[in-house]
Every structure is written in C-alpha cells, then in structure tokens.
C-alpha cells in the first residue's frame, strides 16, 4: 500500500505518457489503479490485430482506431472519475513543445523507436522535467530514470544503431539469410513494385558489364501486352540466373568464397506445369487487396513451414501475377509493409530463392516476416512488470526521493538470485553532446559533399534533429519551418544542392558550424575538418562525426534490425548493486550518481545478454 | 502430442508471442486448463496475462460478494454498483475476461468458499477428481491449511498438476511454486540437455528448519511465515491483520526464532509492521508479481524456459525480485 505522503503526491501529480502500446496499456491501467488523477497520453498509432495478444485495453472491434483514445475510454470504464487526455498524434509534432512538457511533473515513456525516445529526452531536458524511460523484448525489460544534472540522460550512453549492411554484401556476396531479405525487400521488391525514380542498386554490378544502362532498365519493365507469367519468368531468370552468371565471371570475388549457383526457372519448374498451379480465378471473388494471397491460391497453409525451392519459385511467380493482375494500380507506389500478406509472400520467396542459390539455409514465411518487418518479440507479462516498475519510480520522482532512484532490469535468467535487478543510476556523462556542451568534430570532403548530405547523414540521422537550423557565424545556411518566406525556402533548397565549399558562406576546413533544433532546444557546435578520401565500405557515409558516440552494432541472433529498424537497444554496461553486506532489511543508503564502472566479467556477464529495447507497438 | 496446427486466427493474434516461445509452446498453452481461486489484485493481473497468452480454459473461484475494498486493484469490473450488486467476484471477473480473448473459455466454479473462510475446513466441494481437470492450480488469499491441503491434492493426481500460491501485502509479494518432478529441455551451447527439477511440497518447504535455509535468505520469507502462523493460531481470515496485532506477532516471532535458534533481528519490526498494516493492495506490486506468476505458469505449461524454484519475493522498497530455493537438505531427510 502507498503511504499517505505517496498518496498525496500521486493525487496532485500531472503526468505525461508517451506511447499507448504494449507498455502503455499496462502503464495507463496501473497509474489509474494507483490513484493518479491527471494523465495525458500521446500515441500516433492505430490498433492492429497483432496488438491484441498483449495490449489488453483493445478489442477486435477497435482495429483501425486510435490507440490513445481507445485506451483512455477503456480505463475510464473502471476509473470514471479521473482525467485522461488523449492525443492521437506524433510526439514530434511542434505542438508538443517545451512549454507543453513543462506542465508535467514527470514524463513516462513506453515507446518503440530510438528517434522518438531521443526527441522526448531532449524536450524533458529542455523543460527540466524528469523522465522515466522503458523498453521490453520478450522476457527482457528495463526501466531507467533520467533527471537533468543528477542522473545520466537517455543519450549519455551510446545506443546501438540500426544495423546496416555494406552494399556489395547485399548485391553480390550474401552470407546470411538476412542479406537475402534485404536484397529481396529493398532492391527487388522496390524495383518491381516501388517508385521507379528511386535509386536502386539491384543491377549495379551487372551494369558494369552492360554497355547501355538503358537496356538494363528495360529488363524490369513489363513490355506492352506481355503475358504476366512470361514476364515473371523473365525477371526470375534475370535476377537468379543471368545476374549470378555475370557475378561468377568476376573470378576475384570468389577466391575465398563459395560460388553461387545460377537458378533458372526451366530447371525448377518445367514451363507447361506452371499454368496448372495457381489458379488466378479462385482469387477473383475477393475484392479486398489485403486478403490476396499466393499461398492461399497454391494451397499452402502453414506459414511456419519451410518451403522447397520449387514451392518458393511458384510463390514468386504467383505473387507477382497477383500484383500485376489484381493490384496493378498500386504498382510504382508500393513500399514494403509487413502487414501486407502478398508483399511478405513475394519477399519470402525471392529471399529463399536467392538463399538457395548462395547455399544459405531457407526460412519459413513466419521467420522471414519477422526479419523483414523487424518485428520485436513481445509478451504481456514483461510489459506488465515493466509498467509496475515505472509507476514505482514515478512515485519516487514525485517525492523527489533522488537517493532511492533505481534503474531496474527484468532478466530472463536470475543473476545472484535476482530476476528483477535494481541498479543505482549513473552520473551524467560529461562528454554527452545532449546534456552537456561538448563540441563535435566532423571530417568531411568539403569539395564533394553537398549540404544535403550533411543534413541527411549527420543532422537528421546522427543528431536526431527534427526541425534543424544550420548557421555559419551569423549567416543562415539552412532552416526548416512553416513560417518561412518563399524566397527563403528557395534559397535553402538551392543551398542543399551545393557542395559545402561553394555555399554563400563557404564551409571549409576549420569552419565552426552551429546546428540547432528550436523545438528540442538543442544546440551543437561542429568543427569541420576537410578530408579527401573515405573508404567506401567502412565509411559509407563519406563523413565521420566524432565526439558523438556511435555504439557497436548489436549482434542479436537472427533478428538483426535492418536499416528501417524501429528497434533500439539500451545499455549493456551497468554496475549492479552489490549484495547487502549487513543484515539490516532497510536499504543501505547508496550514493547517488555512482561512477559508471566497466562491468567486471563475473558480475556483469548476464547483463551482456541484456540488449533491451522496445516494445513493438508496430 | 501436438497433432493439431494453430488456426490462421490464432497465428495472427499470437504472432508476437509465438516469436518468443514458438508454435509448439503456443499449442500446448491452448490445450491447458487453469484453476484460479482468490481474485484480488495480483491474481486479477495474473488472469489477464494468462487469458491473453491463450490458454485453453480458465476456471475462476471466488464467492465473495463484491465490495469497494475488493475492487481497489481490480480493473476488470466497471465502476457501477448496479452492475455488481449481488454478484460474486468470480462472476463479475468472468464476464470481463471472456471479452479479453474470445478463444479462451472462462467459467466460474462455485463453492469451496472454505478457501476464504477458515471456519469451513473440509474442502468437501472439491475432491481430488475435481483437481484432475487442471494443468495448473493457482490459489491466493487463503489460509495456511488450505495451501497445504490443495497442494497435497494436486500431488495425489495421476498427472502432474502445477501448484502455485501467491500473496501480496503492502508493497511486498510472495510466490510459491510446486511442479513436483519437472523435466524440461534446455539449450546449453549447441546441444539440448534434459534437466530434472525436484520440488518440495508447500508443507515440506515451510517446515525446513530456519538454520538450514539458504544463506542470507530473504527476510520476507521469514516474516511471511510468522504472519501466516499468526493468522492460523488466531483463526483470522487471511490478510485480516492490522498494526494492533504487532505486539502479539512480535511474541510469536520470538517463539519461532527461539525454536529455530535464529536471531530475531532477521525479521525486523519495520517489515512486520508494514506487512500487518498494509492490507490494501499496491497496484504496481500486483502488476509485477502477477506478471512474474503469469510468466512462470506459461513456462511450466509450455515446457519452454527454466521455471523458478521455488519461492519468489518482491519488495518495492528495495526493488529486488529474488528467487529462493527452499527445500529439505537430503542429508537431513
């Protein structure tokens, strides 16, 4: 039971919850039961079927509706006299500015992506509001508390970046199934069904050998009145047969690698057999594009089965036929969506055929969907536990009980008898560019790189700014906002396409740039250093930001996040509380802001497996 | 055993958790039957977790008439006296749980009110045959005697029925687990090894002499035994204690500590006071303990993951969630 002081702190508190997904549903329920009376909740998502196994405030009939709103209504049914304000909106909307954040006593995060977490962290720092941050994956979870100046901020420790792969691994030398998925999804699927104007590396290697790039372009275009099945076979033979032959001709590549085997349709399925399978007419009854399925029309039922090369090849042709016959209007506009059955079928089949060609084990549709959709494992129990821990920390925050703040890990296997392990929060990192004022250094080729590259690869991707403003001394180089004059907009657009050294106020070695996000109230100085050459494979951005800590990519079994990853990962370095040495049940007063120590292998070994993260609200 | 495949509907609904424990585990879950008695906050959390997970059926037992106090940590029942007047706790929770997951059969079993009333000790409504239907039995807010008796009945069945008790007081919680002889497979490096866990019954566990308990055993374990004993001696309804009982409980603590030759400081006054006084539930602790319990029942039924053996303790004041393995030493047996 909560004490009298706790109850009065709870009663008077105004809290902001960001996220109404897996953790959010549990959290809103626990806050309401605990006596919180003024809760605001933001979530931009709508409810999907795969949410219902754990987001218990939602029902089948709510699918498609706002999570924040439905969650509010559900909780008001058992606690009708409290105030819950819901926002069906993105927390990055400019309405949720520093002043908005300042009205709350504490902010509680139940988010599913790094980007939004960083954004909320910055707003909390700017508004001076404590943040309780959380994440879960499967049976693992963690809760952390962040108070400006007293404990580390969410960004004081590097966060593993979404995994990206070198281009040539994807285009020519895949060695893992995930490489085949990336190829099938980001290259082949995008090429056939996505925006035709988008740059695509699908044929990058083979075009070296081809004299005319126009010809290569034509391969993927369906000719006028070309039979869909014939077109499908042509694409199949081109990407799984011809392109592999072409790659094999480069002997250098295969010196230390297994040589792939070209796959042609005629060797897998004789031409006259195809027509007998996959009956398009069976599908003609269904009008709803989301229910179209190549599996269904081929009579394959179990998504957990691993299909043979032949079955995959049939699915490949069948799904392509269904796209061109039933969803022709969408072609050219599609982007991969893990909830689109036909897209998942096509990508699974294409990835498996490629895997087969490269001697990589094949996977089921269920598995392939998990990898392609970057799906985070999630169960209700972990979310419930984490939500309980968030409320316990939130109550301490409301009482300003800093010495008792804890970050807590929820473990799958006990460490020193503990399944729930509390740890004293760490001091702020003095070289954190978010909560301290550390200058950053940028190595870049100022004669080649455009301002656009800098904005995309550094300001947005690395610094996570939403509405950036870039200044060189007193001259503005770039700015985003609704209130700009037309000529300003044109000016900035022109600047984006200029190389750095040719900007109106040239950016060269030695220049100090100021980059600012007015919404996040975050300002950084970047000292520019000119460098001629970058290693295309190791430094694919063609620029290096230092002073900014990039984490090593997380090696995470077979669910490595792919470059669209919403998934983020948390710290793997923590110093657990030492076991109590005396026999008093009362907690030994622990110093706030204990120095972060590198874990010694014995005490932290179990923590190394803890790469927490995020509840998929997907 | 798992002849039937999951339906398309099940695969879509359970997608995210199948990615955690696999399709086989999900099939076993969907064929399992759970008995749950004593529906206070922690158990309500557990019910939600297990229904969402997709067990085959849940049978609820709690004949208490709904009161304001019983609902302090209950999110299943709409706040409307017209809805709940005259109905039992189990009946009201049943309606709401059905709604959580239409694929789970939720029903009410009346009787056995003895679980919540020490005056009725015969458990006559529930014979061994009754328990035979279940793969797991979870009981809460009940007397020491009920815990022992129900546990023994589960042990007499031909098939292995997992037994759990759970109790929360103030900001503390305790879970006890009895899986009897439990064999499960575990991945060790590249190979899968079979592990055998031998669980003592509740009676065996709580009669382990305190001197031979694990080093630095959770103080909660000892404090809970004192209070449990106190309630039994006084004939109290479980959980019906207050700060006024402290003096008598301290007396009992002295007796027990003397018998076991353990220093009284092992069971601090402050802790006893909290446990006696804090009869109103603390919802965050209900969520945490109900979450751990849900996870454990899922593990035991699905055969996936190492189950905990055999006590779990959580105290919000230090934030630790601790496992204690309490069993008779073989040499002493």
């Amino acid at each position: 039971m909560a004490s009298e002081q706790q109850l009065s702190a709870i009663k008077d508190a105004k809290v902001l919850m960001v996220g109404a997904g897996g953790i959010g549903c549990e959290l809103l329920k626990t806050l309401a039961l605990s006596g919180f009376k003024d809760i605001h909740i933001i979530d931009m998502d709508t409810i999907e079927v795969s949410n219902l196994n754990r987001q218990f405030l939602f029902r089948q009939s709510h699918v498609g509706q706002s999570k924040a709103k439905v969650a509010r209504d559900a909780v008001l049914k058992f606690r009708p006299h409290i105030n819950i304000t819901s926002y069906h909106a993105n927390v990055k909307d400019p309405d949720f500015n520093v002043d908005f954040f300042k009205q709350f006593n504490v902010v509680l995060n139940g988010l599913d992506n790094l980007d939004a977490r960083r954004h909320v962290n910055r707003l909390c720092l700017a508004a001076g509001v404590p943040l309780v941050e959380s994440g879960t994956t499967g049976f693992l979870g963690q809760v952390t508390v962040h108070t400006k100046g007293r404990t580390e901020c969410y960004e004081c420790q590097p966060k593993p970046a979404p995994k990206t792969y070198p281009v040539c691994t994807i285009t020519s030398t895949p060695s893992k199934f995930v490489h085949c998925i990336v190829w099938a999804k980001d290259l082949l699927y995008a090429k056939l069904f996505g925006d035709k104007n988008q740059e695509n590396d699908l044929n990058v290697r083979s075009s070296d050998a081809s004299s005319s790039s126009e010809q290569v372009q034509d391969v993927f275009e369906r000719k006028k009145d070309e039979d869909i099945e014939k077109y499908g076979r042509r694409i199949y033979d081109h990407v799984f047969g011809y392109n592999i032959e072409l790659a094999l001709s480069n002997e250098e590549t295969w010196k230390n690698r297994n040589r792939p085997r070209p796959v042609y349709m005629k060797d897998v399925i004789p031409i006259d057999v195809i027509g007998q399978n996959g009956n398009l007419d069976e599908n003609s009854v269904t009008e709803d594009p989301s229910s179209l399925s190549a599996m269904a029309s081929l009579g394959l039922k179990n998504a957990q089965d691993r299909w043979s090369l032949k079955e995959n090849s049939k699915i490949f042709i069948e799904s392509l036929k269904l796209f061109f016959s039933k969803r022709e209007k969408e072609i050219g506009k599609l982007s991969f969506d893990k909830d689109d059955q036909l897209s998942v079928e096509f990508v699974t089949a294409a990835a498996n055929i490629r895997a087969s060609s490269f001697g990589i084990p094949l996977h089921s549709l269920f598995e392939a969907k998990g990898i392609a959709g970057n799906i985070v494992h999630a169960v209700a129990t972990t979310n419930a536990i984490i939500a309980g821990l968030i409320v316990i920390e939130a109550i301490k925050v409301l009482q300003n009980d800093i010495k008792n703040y804890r970050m807590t890990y929820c473990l799958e296997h006990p460490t020193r008898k503990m399944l729930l392990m509390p740890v004293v929060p760490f001091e702020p990192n003095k070289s954190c560019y978010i909560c301290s004022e550390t200058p950053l250094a940028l190595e870049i080729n100022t004669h080649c790189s455009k301002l656009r590259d800098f904005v995309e690869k550094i300001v947005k991707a690395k610094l996570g700014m939403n509405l950036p403003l870039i200044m060189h001394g007193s001259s503005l180089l770039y700015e985003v906002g609704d209130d700009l004059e037309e000529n300003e907009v044109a000016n900035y657009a022109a600047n984006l396409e200029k190389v750095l050294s040719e900007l109106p106020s040239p950016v060269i070695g030695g220049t100090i740039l100021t980059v600012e996000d007015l919404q996040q109230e975050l300002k950084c100085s970047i000292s520019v250093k000119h460098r001629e050459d970058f290693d295309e494979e190791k430094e694919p951005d063609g620029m290096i930001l230092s002073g900014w800590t990039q984490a090593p990519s997380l090696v995470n079994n077979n669910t490595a996040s792919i470059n669209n990853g919403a998934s983020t990962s948390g710290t793997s370095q923590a110093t657990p509380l030492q076991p109590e040495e005396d026999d008093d049940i009362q907690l030994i007063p622990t110093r706030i802001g204990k120095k972060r120590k590198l874990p010694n292998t014995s005490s932290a070994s179990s923590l190394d497996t803890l790469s927490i993260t995020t509840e998929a609200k997907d | 055993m798992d002849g039937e495949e999951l339906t398309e509907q099940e695969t879509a609904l359970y997608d995210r958790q199948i990615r955690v424990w696999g399709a086989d585990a999900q099939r076993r879950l969907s064929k399992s039957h759970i008995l749950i008695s004593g529906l206070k906050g922690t158990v309500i959390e557990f019910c939600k977790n297990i229904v969402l997970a997709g067990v085959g059926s849940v049978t609820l037992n709690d004949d208490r008439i709904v009161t304001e106090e019983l609902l302090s940590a209950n999110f299943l029942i709409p706040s409307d006296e017209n809805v709940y007047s005259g109905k039992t706790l189990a009946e009201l929770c049943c309606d709401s749980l059905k709604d959580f997951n239409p694929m789970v059969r939720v029903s009410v079993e009346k009787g056995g009110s003895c679980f919540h009333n020490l005056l009725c000790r015969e458990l006559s409504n529930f014979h061994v045959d009754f328990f035979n239907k279940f793969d797991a039995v979870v009981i809460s807010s009940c007397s020491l005697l009920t815990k022992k008796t129900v546990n023994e009945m589960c042990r007499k069945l031909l098939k292995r029925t997992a037994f759990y008790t759970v109790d929360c007081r103030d900001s503390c919680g305790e879970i006890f687990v009895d899986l009897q002889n439990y064999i499960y497979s575990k991945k060790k490096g590249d190979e899968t090894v079979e592990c055998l866990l031998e669980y003592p019954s509740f009676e065996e566990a709580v009669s382990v002499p305190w001197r031979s308990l694990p080093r630095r055993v959770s103080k909660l374990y000892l404090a809970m035994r004192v209070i449990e004993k106190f309630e039994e001696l006084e004939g109290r309804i479980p959980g019906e204690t207050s700060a006024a009982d402290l003096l008598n409980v301290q007396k009992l603590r002295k007796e027990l500590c003397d018998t076991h030759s353990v220093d009284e400081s092992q069971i601090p006054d402050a802790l006893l006071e909290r446990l006696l006084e804090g009869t109103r539930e603390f919802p965050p602790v209900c969520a945490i303990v109900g979450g751990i319990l849900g996870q454990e029942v899922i593990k035991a039924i699905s055969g996936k993951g190492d189950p905990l053996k055999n006590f779990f303790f959580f105290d919000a004041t230090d934030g630790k969630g601790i496992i204690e393995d309490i069993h008779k030493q073989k040499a002493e047996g």
Side-chain angles (χ1 to χ4, degrees), chain A residues 182-367:
Chain A
V182 174
W183 177 86
K185 182 178 83 154
D186 293 350
L187 300 183
L188 187 60
Y189 178 90
K191 186 80 183 175
L192 295 176
F193 308 118
D195 184 354
K196 301 279 182 246
N197 299 320
Q198 206 68 39
E199 268 183 60
N200 190 310
D201 293 325
L202 185 61
N203 254 337
V204 92
R205 302 292 143 165
S206 53
S207 67
D208 297 343
S210 176
S211 54
S212 155
S213 62
E214 264 173 60
Q215 258 181 352
V216 172
Q217 203 57 42
D218 285 343
V219 170
F220 294 100
E221 281 299 320
R222 186 176 157 206
K223 298 190 190 98
K224 200 162 175 288
D225 297 329
E226 185 177 18
D227 176 66
I228 309 172
E229 184 166 326
K230 210 170 148 199
Y231 168 66
R233 294 181 76 106
R234 192 162 59 73
I235 297 293
Y236 187 105
D237 288 345
H238 182 79
V239 297
F240 301 116
Y242 173 76
N243 275 1
I244 300 293
E245 303 261 19
L246 213 57
L248 280 169
S249 65
N250 187 354
E251 287 296 333
E252 200 60 28
T253 313
W254 312 106
K255 263 187 179 165
N256 301 310
R257 289 188 176 91
N258 290 331
R259 298 169 64 88
R261 179 177 62 93
V263 183
Y264 289 97
M265 186 57 107
K266 65 176 182 340
D267 303 326
V268 183
I269 311 168
I271 197 149
D272 50 325
V273 176
I274 280 210
Q276 298 165 11
N277 293 294
N279 191 346
L280 279 178
D281 299 334
E282 273 176 31
N283 261 307
S284 58
V285 204
T286 20
E287 290 301 319
D288 179 11
S290 66
S291 66
L292 280 177
S293 162
M295 268 175 82
S297 52
L298 292 171
L300 293 168
K301 291 220 171 64
N302 193 344
Q304 312 252 359
D305 285 343
R306 293 188 177 181
W307 302 323
S308 65
L309 174 60
K310 190 171 171 180
E311 284 167 325
N312 277 297
S313 302
K314 285 181 185 169
I315 292 278
F316 180 92
I317 295 292
E318 183 66 18
S319 55
L320 194 128
K321 273 159 81 175
L322 286 171
F323 268 119
F324 277 90
S325 59
K326 306 283 176 190
R327 296 175 61 175
E328 205 172 359
K329 286 197 186 109
E330 296 169 64
I331 288 170
K333 295 177 218 147
L334 283 163
S335 59
F336 179 80
D337 172 0
K338 67 180 179 335
D339 295 311
D340 176 349
Q341 173 70 15
L342 197 56
S343 295
V344 174
E345 288 172 347
F346 177 83
V347 165
T348 303
N352 272 329
I353 299 163
R354 186 165 172 85
S356 161
S357 167
F358 281 84
I360 297 166
L362 308 194
H363 285 65
S364 71
L365 179 120
F366 178 82
E367 293 163 324

Side-chain angles (χ1 to χ4, degrees), chain A residues 383-415:
Chain A
N383 290 332
I385 295 165
I386 288 300
L389 292 168
I390 294 172
V391 176
I392 289 173
E393 290 310 315
I395 294 171
K396 293 180 198 167
V397 167
L398 295 176
Q399 297 179 293
N400 204 21
D401 186 11
I402 297 182
K403 69 177 198 316
N404 283 315
Y405 289 0
R406 291 291 178 273
M407 44 200 256
T408 305
Y409 294 95
C410 178
L411 308 170
E412 189 170 359
H413 306 287
T415 294

Side-chain angles (χ1 to χ4, degrees), chain B residues 29-45:
Chain B
L29 278 173
S30 69
K31 288 177 186 163
S32 66
H33 306 286
I34 322 283
L35 172 68
I36 304 169
S37 177
L39 303 178
K40 288 206 31 173
T42 310
V43 178
I44 296 295
E45 286 280 348

Side-chain angles (χ1 to χ4, degrees), chain B residues 293-314:
Chain B
L293 180 61
Q295 199 170 293
E296 287 307 317
V297 172
I298 290 166
K299 279 190 210 165
I301 293 171
S302 66
K304 283 277 165 83
D306 328 345
L308 79 78
K309 179 171 179 287
N310 53 347
F311 280 89
F312 174 80
F313 296 96
F314 179 75

Side-chain angles (χ1 to χ4, degrees), chain A residues 35-49:
Chain A
F36 283 82
K37 298 217 175 319
D38 192 357
I39 307 166
H40 291 239
I41 180 163
I42 304 176
D43 197 311
M44 66 188 291
D45 284 347
T46 53
I47 296 159
E48 291 179 28
V49 172

Side-chain angles (χ1 to χ4, degrees), chain A residues 134-178:
Chain A
S134 68
T136 66
T137 319
F139 293 122
L140 303 176
Q142 71 177 18
V143 173
T144 54
V145 193
H146 307 283
T147 311
K148 191 177 182 179
R150 305 300 296 266
T151 66
E152 64 181 7
C153 83
Y154 175 69
E155 294 173 86
C156 275
Q157 291 308 316
K159 302 285 177 281
K163 183 110 180 85
T164 54
Y165 299 94
V167 174
C168 77
T169 304
I170 302 304
T171 57
S172 330
T173 55
S175 57
K176 293 184 182 143
F177 188 67
V178 63

